[in-house]
Amino acid sequence: YIIAGTRGWNLIAEGEEDKKIKERELLRLENSIKNGIEKYGKDKEMIAFFHYPPITSNSVYKKEKNDFIETLERYNIKKCYYGHLHGKSHKDAVEGEIDGIKYKLISADYLNFDLVEI
Protein backbone atom coordinates (compact mmCIF):
# COMPACT_ATOMS: atom_id res chain seq x y z
CA TYR A 1 0.00 0.00 0.00
CA ILE A 2 0.89 3.63 -0.47
CA ILE A 3 -0.37 6.11 2.11
CA ALA A 4 -1.17 9.64 0.98
CA GLY A 5 -3.00 12.41 2.71
CA THR A 6 -3.51 15.91 3.95
CA ARG A 7 -5.16 17.79 6.77
CA GLY A 8 -7.95 18.97 4.48
CA TRP A 9 -10.25 21.73 5.70
CA ASN A 10 -13.80 22.54 6.72
CA LEU A 11 -15.75 22.14 3.48
CA ILE A 12 -18.55 24.51 4.43
CA ALA A 13 -16.27 27.40 5.45
CA GLU A 14 -16.36 30.05 2.76
CA GLY A 15 -14.15 32.99 3.81
CA GLU A 16 -11.13 34.14 1.82
CA GLU A 17 -8.74 32.62 4.36
CA ASP A 18 -10.68 29.34 4.22
CA LYS A 19 -10.39 29.33 0.43
CA LYS A 20 -6.61 29.74 0.67
CA ILE A 21 -6.36 26.90 3.19
CA LYS A 22 -8.49 24.59 1.03
CA GLU A 23 -6.32 25.33 -2.01
CA ARG A 24 -3.14 24.68 -0.02
CA GLU A 25 -4.49 21.41 1.39
CA LEU A 26 -5.59 20.30 -2.06
CA LEU A 27 -2.07 20.95 -3.32
CA ARG A 28 -0.66 18.97 -0.38
CA LEU A 29 -2.94 16.05 -1.22
CA GLU A 30 -1.90 16.05 -4.85
CA ASN A 31 1.79 16.33 -3.94
CA SER A 32 1.45 13.46 -1.47
CA ILE A 33 -0.19 11.27 -4.11
CA LYS A 34 2.36 12.15 -6.80
CA ASN A 35 5.24 11.56 -4.39
CA GLY A 36 3.88 8.12 -3.49
CA ILE A 37 3.53 7.18 -7.15
CA GLU A 38 7.01 8.49 -7.94
CA LYS A 39 8.60 6.51 -5.10
CA TYR A 40 6.58 3.28 -5.26
CA GLY A 41 4.95 3.10 -8.68
CA LYS A 42 1.36 2.88 -9.86
CA ASP A 43 0.87 -0.81 -9.12
CA LYS A 44 0.28 -0.51 -5.38
CA GLU A 45 -3.06 0.46 -3.93
CA MET A 46 -3.07 3.97 -2.51
CA ILE A 47 -5.05 4.86 0.61
CA ALA A 48 -5.86 8.46 1.53
CA PHE A 49 -6.02 9.89 5.05
CA PHE A 50 -7.49 13.25 5.99
CA HIS A 51 -7.96 15.02 9.30
CA TYR A 52 -11.10 16.86 8.15
CA PRO A 53 -13.80 14.89 6.31
CA PRO A 54 -13.39 15.23 2.53
CA ILE A 55 -17.11 14.56 2.09
CA THR A 56 -20.29 15.72 3.80
CA SER A 57 -23.77 14.27 4.02
CA ASN A 58 -25.00 17.43 2.30
CA SER A 59 -22.72 16.87 -0.70
CA VAL A 60 -23.84 13.23 -0.92
CA TYR A 61 -27.49 14.27 -0.80
CA LYS A 62 -26.98 16.90 -3.51
CA LYS A 63 -24.69 14.65 -5.58
CA GLU A 64 -21.96 17.31 -5.44
CA LYS A 65 -18.25 16.65 -5.62
CA ASN A 66 -15.53 18.90 -4.29
CA ASP A 67 -11.91 19.20 -5.39
CA PHE A 68 -10.72 16.70 -2.75
CA ILE A 69 -13.09 14.00 -4.00
CA GLU A 70 -12.28 14.75 -7.63
CA THR A 71 -8.58 14.33 -6.83
CA LEU A 72 -9.19 10.98 -5.15
CA GLU A 73 -11.16 9.84 -8.18
CA ARG A 74 -8.57 11.12 -10.66
CA TYR A 75 -5.89 9.00 -9.00
CA ASN A 76 -8.17 5.98 -8.59
CA ILE A 77 -8.00 5.99 -4.80
CA LYS A 78 -10.53 3.52 -3.44
CA LYS A 79 -10.21 3.97 0.35
CA CYS A 80 -10.32 7.17 2.37
CA TYR A 81 -10.11 7.49 6.15
CA TYR A 82 -10.73 10.68 8.09
CA GLY A 83 -11.16 12.08 11.58
CA HIS A 84 -12.11 15.43 13.11
CA LEU A 85 -15.69 14.49 13.98
CA HIS A 86 -16.06 13.95 17.72
CA GLY A 87 -18.93 13.52 20.15
CA LYS A 88 -22.29 14.65 18.76
CA SER A 89 -20.74 15.44 15.38
CA HIS A 90 -20.39 11.68 14.71
CA LYS A 91 -23.91 11.91 13.30
CA ASP A 92 -22.48 13.93 10.42
CA ALA A 93 -20.10 11.17 9.31
CA VAL A 94 -20.33 9.79 5.81
CA GLU A 95 -19.27 6.16 5.65
CA GLY A 96 -19.45 3.45 3.07
CA GLU A 97 -18.82 3.35 -0.64
CA ILE A 98 -19.77 6.36 -2.69
CA ASP A 99 -18.86 6.52 -6.38
CA GLY A 100 -16.25 3.79 -5.94
CA ILE A 101 -14.50 5.23 -2.87
CA LYS A 102 -14.95 3.69 0.59
CA TYR A 103 -15.06 6.35 3.31
CA LYS A 104 -14.54 5.61 7.01
CA LEU A 105 -14.55 7.87 10.06
CA ILE A 106 -11.71 6.85 12.37
CA SER A 107 -11.85 9.44 15.17
CA ALA A 108 -10.61 7.70 18.30
CA ASP A 109 -13.76 8.36 20.35
CA TYR A 110 -15.95 7.19 17.46
CA LEU A 111 -14.07 3.88 17.51
CA ASN A 112 -14.19 3.66 21.33
CA PHE A 113 -10.40 3.89 21.12
CA ASP A 114 -10.26 0.48 19.43
CA LEU A 115 -8.01 -0.29 16.49
CA VAL A 116 -9.49 -0.47 13.04
CA GLU A 117 -8.09 -2.80 10.41
CA ILE A 118 -7.15 -0.94 7.25
Side-chain angles (χ1 to χ4, degrees):
Y1 296 98
I2 300 172
I3 305 297
T6 188
R7 174 178 71 161
W9 193 242
N10 183 342
L11 296 175
I12 59 173
E14 296 183 0
E16 280 303 310
E17 188 64 26
D18 295 307
K19 188 176 180 179
K20 288 179 188 177
I21 294 170
K22 285 178 193 176
E23 289 173 4
R24 181 191 67 213
E25 294 301 316
L26 184 61
L27 181 61
R28 286 180 173 171
L29 174 62
E30 187 128 26
N31 286 341
S32 177
I33 292 168
K34 287 179 178 178
N35 185 267
I37 292 169
E38 183 180 297
K39 286 183 178 177
Y40 304 107
K42 293 182 180 181
D43 296 335
K44 293 185 180 184
E45 181 180 354
M46 187 170 299
I47 301 172
F49 284 83
F50 286 74
H51 174 77
Y52 286 89
I55 190 168
T56 66
S57 55
N58 194 36
S59 63
V60 172
Y61 174 74
K62 292 181 178 181
K63 304 284 186 193
E64 296 174 338
K65 294 182 182 178
N66 61 58
D67 292 335
F68 291 112
I69 294 170
E70 289 175 355
T71 300
L72 296 176
E73 289 178 343
R74 186 170 53 252
Y75 288 97
N76 199 31
I77 295 174
K78 301 294 184 192
K79 294 179 185 172
C80 179
Y81 297 88
Y82 65 91
H84 184 71
L85 301 178
H86 301 286
K88 292 180 182 179
S89 65
H90 292 162
K91 67 179 175 23
D92 299 323
V94 174
E95 293 191 295
E97 187 171 325
I98 300 167
D99 295 330
I101 301 172
K102 292 180 184 176
Y103 296 94
K104 175 81 176 139
L105 172 62
I106 57 171
S107 296
D109 59 331
Y110 180 71
L111 299 173
N112 289 324
F113 298 89
D114 289 333
L115 298 176
V116 65
E117 188 171 334
I118 303 293

